[in-house]
Amino acid sequence: MQPRQEHSNSVIGIIGGSGVYDIEGLKNKRWLGVESPFGNPSDDLLFGDLEGQAVVFLPRHGRGHNIPPSEINFRANIDALKRSGVTDVISVSAVGSLREHLAPGVFVIVDQFIDRTFAREKSFFGTGCVAHVSMAHPVCSRLGDHLEAASHEAAIQAVRGGTYLVMEGPQFSSLAESELYRSWNCDVIGMTNMPEAKLAREAELCYATVAMVTDYDCWHPNHDDVTVDQVVGVMALNAGKARALIRHVVPMLSGDAHAVDCKCRGVLEHALITPAPSRDPALVRKLDAVAGRVLSR
């Protein structure tokens, strides 16, 4: 099915691990399958209400974490959220730290990305309908402001601003790679937020990343190389803080009178370059949720 929620302003989408969804106070919970013309999303979506605000959760790797980063259908995930009425997306991701001061357990409200992935579909558009959106500022500063305020309220150590290097994976970095990324002034490294952020921008969704540090990658001389056990252990602690952050930020987003005017929601206004007579009707049909606002003109 393809549910679309009724809402007065915003519907908050949360992308992350399964531990993030067990939020105290989440009401009217139901898991629903959402079909997408771009294939299957990672899982069903969890719809609910938190303090009267509609929220939609999507397990990025599926419940049970059975989808590796390179095999995530990012296009279907973002399309499914858009079809479900989502307007604002908070992406919660485990990352390694490339900086001494970003210790395991610290949250980083990312403001920049370097995309080093190479095996993923990175755009909804293509032959038959070409579009170019700006990624100069790849996250929504309005969402970032709220996340920063919510982290203070929840007493979570969070750093505002940082560059997230997105690697292909699934292997962790070599020492040479880790040192290279540090020389580029990257702050954290992970495998999941690209092309997620690019696709959210194309879908005119406000998008922000909360990067939860689990380890020091492999560059740090006083720490062992990264292991899954190490990462999973810190992830469990981070999940509780992520739930607290979401509980605090959702009411802020619900009461944001400026959300409807956020520039993220109009980025396709001047992005389409293929004139209407030259557009592929089949691709246009697939873009009904992502770009229907501008393609229907």
Side-chain angles (χ1 to χ4, degrees):
M1 65 179 298
Q2 298 182 356
R4 183 172 293 276
Q5 296 197 5
E6 295 297 326
H7 56 91
S8 58
N9 190 355
S10 298
V11 176
I12 314 304
I14 312 292
I15 305 176
S18 57
V20 175
Y21 309 145
D22 301 323
I23 294 181
E24 182 181 354
L26 184 64
K27 300 179 179 179
N28 301 317
K29 295 185 289 187
R30 62 267 188 213
W31 287 94
L32 299 174
V34 180
E35 296 178 358
S36 168
F38 294 95
N40 295 323
S42 294
D43 205 327
D44 292 348
L45 278 61
L46 174 61
F47 292 75
D49 299 290
L50 188 61
E51 297 192 18
Q53 170 63 52
V55 292
V56 182
F57 296 89
L58 173 61
R60 183 188 284 111
H61 297 277
R63 283 170 286 181
H65 202 114
N66 59 357
I67 305 174
S70 296
E71 297 181 29
I72 295 170
N73 190 337
F74 291 96
R75 294 196 300 178
N77 285 352
I78 295 298
D79 179 76
L81 289 171
K82 181 80 172 187
R83 290 180 186 278
S84 300
V86 167
T87 56
D88 303 83
V89 175
I90 297 173
S91 173
V92 182
S93 306
V95 298
S97 170
L98 297 172
R99 298 292 161 208
E100 184 79 44
H101 70 284
L102 300 176
V106 171
F107 285 12
V108 182
I109 303 168
V110 171
D111 61 0
Q112 285 293 330
F113 294 99
I114 293 178
D115 185 1
R116 296 284 288 174
T117 64
F118 53 82
R120 311 174 186 191
E121 294 284 352
K122 298 191 178 187
S123 179
F124 291 110
F125 300 93
T127 302
C129 190
V130 178
H132 302 283
V133 299
S134 172
M135 291 296 294
H137 301 285
V139 298
C140 177
S141 60
R142 179 182 60 86
L143 291 187
D145 290 342
H146 288 304
L147 287 166
E148 183 178 21
S151 67
H152 290 316
E153 279 196 4
I156 295 169
Q157 185 180 359
V159 174
R160 178 69 184 274
T163 297
Y164 181 154
L165 186 292
V166 191
M167 63 184 295
E168 185 63 48
Q171 301 85 0
F172 294 124
S173 303
S174 71
L175 177 58
E177 289 169 332
S178 191
E179 292 290 5
L180 174 65
Y181 303 148
R182 280 168 46 78
S183 76
W184 290 353
N185 292 320
C186 297
D187 297 290
V188 295
I189 182 169
M191 304 178 188
T192 58
N193 275 208
M194 282 292 177
E196 189 176 88
K198 291 177 176 176
L199 295 166
R201 177 58 52 86
E202 287 188 343
E204 297 189 319
L205 297 174
C206 297
Y207 178 91
T209 288
V210 178
M212 306 182 297
V213 176
T214 61
D215 58 85
Y216 272 118
D217 203 41
C218 63
W219 65 270
H220 200 295
N222 296 325
H223 292 262
D224 293 332
D225 293 345
V226 183
T227 67
V228 170
D229 287 345
Q230 174 190 9
V231 170
V232 170
V234 181
M235 282 176 62
L237 297 174
N238 283 346
K241 293 190 289 186
R243 290 192 295 271
L245 180 63
I246 291 168
R247 285 198 304 271
H248 282 82
V249 79
V250 164
M252 295 179 180
L253 296 175
S254 181
D256 187 348
H258 300 290
V260 68
D261 299 318
C262 189
K263 61 182 181 181
C264 300
R265 301 186 183 186
V267 298
L268 292 180
E269 200 65 38
H270 305 291
L272 295 175
I273 197 168
T274 307
S278 300
R279 294 171 188 163
D280 177 10
L283 179 53
V284 168
R285 285 193 294 272
K286 291 176 69 173
L287 293 167
D288 63 331
V290 169
R293 184 185 70 82
V294 292
L295 289 172
S296 60
R297 296 174 180 172

